[in-house]
Amino acid sequence: MPRNAPISDETRTRILALHAEGRTRNDIAREVGVSGYTVTKVVKAAGRSFDRTATRAATEARQADMAERRARLRAKYLQRAEELLDQMDKPHLVFNFGGKDNTYAERTLDRPPVKDIRDLMQAASTATSAELRIAAAESDSNAEAARSVLVGLANALGVHGPNDQPNPDAGT
C-alpha cells in the first residue's frame, strides 16, 4: 500500500476487530499489512486506545532484570580485580621455551617479576574501572528517575522550581 494512501473500510473494520480482540498494535499492523502508525490512527479515530499496562509491566520487569545482571557483573569485576591483585604476592611460575634444541625450563619465584606485577595491576585497574563505569551509569539513571518523580510531584502540587519563578528584573 503506498504511503499516505487512504485505507479501505474493510481494512479499518479489520483493524478495529483485531483491536477488540486485545491484539497489540504491531501484531495488527503485521497482520493487516499497514504501518503501526496507521493502526494507531484508526484506533484513536474510533475513540479507543491500546492498554499499555502490559507493556509498562514488561518494561519494568526487563529493567529489574538488567539491574540484577549489572549487579552480578559489577561483583564479578571486583572479584577478578581482587584475584589479580592477590596474585602479586603469591609464588609465580616463570618459564622459557625454545632455543636451538627447543627446550622447556621453568622456575617458581616467591613473587612475580616487576613486569608481571605491572601487568596484574593494569588488569586489576581495568576491571575496577569497568565496575565504576557501570556504577556511575546506574547512579545517573537513578538520579534521573528520582528527578522525574520529584518534578511530577511538584507539578501535581503546583509547586514551581527555581527556574519556573518569575524574574523580577524582567518586569513580569
Side-chain angles (χ1 to χ4, degrees), residues 21-116:
E21 291 175 10
R23 302 276 297 273
T24 66
R25 181 190 82 148
N26 291 341
D27 283 345
I28 296 170
R30 274 190 294 276
E31 185 166 324
V32 177
V34 297
S35 72
Y37 176 72
T38 299
V39 172
T40 300
K41 276 184 15 181
V42 169
V43 169
K44 187 174 181 180
R48 302 181 192 176
S49 65
F50 286 96
D51 181 9
R52 307 297 260 163
T53 307
T55 303
R56 192 174 307 115
T59 300
E60 289 172 359
R62 185 171 189 280
Q63 289 172 340
D65 291 345
M66 296 301 281
E68 181 182 334
R69 289 175 68 190
R70 283 190 302 273
R72 285 195 314 265
L73 188 59
R74 287 179 61 199
K76 283 182 179 183
Y77 274 128
L78 289 177
Q79 177 65 37
R80 184 57 51 137
E82 288 176 351
E83 290 169 3
L84 290 165
L85 292 173
D86 288 345
Q87 286 181 29
M88 292 189 314
D89 298 317
K90 292 182 178 178
H92 187 74
L93 177 70
V94 293
F95 61 91
N96 184 16
F97 186 77
K100 92 174 183 183
D101 297 327
N102 204 23
T103 59
Y104 175 79
E106 67 179 45
R107 181 173 171 200
T108 301
L109 304 175
D110 291 337
R111 58 183 301 182
V114 172
K115 179 193 176 308
D116 290 352

